[in-house]
Amino acid sequence: MRIGELAERARVSTRTLRYYESRGLLPARRSVNGYRVYGDDELRLVEQIRTLQDVGFELEETRPFVECLQAGHPAGDACPASLDVYRRKLAELDVLIAELRAVREQVGAQLVRAEAELPEGPVPLCELSRARQNEQE
């Protein structure tokens, strides 16, 4: 298949495919007339790259998975280098989750503090609410 058909089947742009090729992730054979020619193996490579990127992997992090597929493994994560990338990504996610939990606790504490300081009676408008109310009048 040519680049346009591969792009359509993989649901990416031809520009994306050329970029993958420039980064050494997607091999391109050339036909006699100079057109790029791809097969089902290249479609699997692009699908693997897109799947990994969709869940947060950087493009360079997909390289071990692509190389694993190119080496003839039926799954891109069946190689030690791919497993290492999974382990690193999980460690990164664990750090991010811990940071988000800390931020959530801080925001929750601020909410509790702010709610405790509410005066009795009608709730005063905040400055933004007053400004918007004045604009509408």
Side-chain angles (χ1 to χ4, degrees):
M1 71 187 97
R2 290 190 188 168
I3 193 167
E5 184 182 350
L6 177 60
E8 185 176 323
R9 288 179 64 186
R11 295 187 175 113
V12 297
S13 68
T14 56
R15 183 177 179 188
T16 297
L17 296 176
R18 287 187 192 100
Y19 182 67
Y20 292 170
E21 183 182 336
S22 75
R23 297 293 305 267
L25 293 168
L26 182 65
R29 296 179 307 275
R30 298 282 182 160
S31 64
V32 176
N33 57 7
Y35 291 118
R36 288 175 174 88
V37 180
Y38 303 97
D40 288 336
D41 289 343
E42 286 78 23
L43 177 59
R44 285 186 55 224
L45 292 178
V46 174
E47 289 171 342
Q48 178 79 69
I49 292 168
R50 297 304 304 162
T51 298
L52 290 166
Q53 285 196 303
D54 286 348
V55 296
F57 286 76
E58 298 294 327
L59 184 60
E60 193 55 36
E61 291 175 314
T62 69
R63 187 173 300 281
F65 299 89
V66 168
E67 290 170 350
C68 191
L69 285 171
Q70 289 172 328
H73 295 277
D77 57 4
C79 296
S82 302
L83 298 174
D84 288 342
V85 173
Y86 276 150
R87 287 183 190 100
R88 281 194 305 271
K89 183 56 76 177
L90 282 173
E92 286 176 26
L93 290 170
D94 289 341
V95 168
L96 290 173
I97 289 168
E99 290 172 357
L100 286 172
R101 281 190 179 128
V103 169
R104 188 186 190 295
E105 287 176 22
Q106 184 178 12
V107 170
Q110 287 293 105
L111 174 62
V112 168
R113 183 200 52 78
E115 287 176 335
E117 292 179 7
L118 282 177
E120 295 295 324
V123 178
L125 295 174
C126 70
E127 292 302 315
L128 286 177
S129 297
R130 285 189 192 125
R132 286 189 187 141
Q133 193 174 41
N134 291 337
E135 289 173 5
Q136 293 173 351
E137 293 173 354

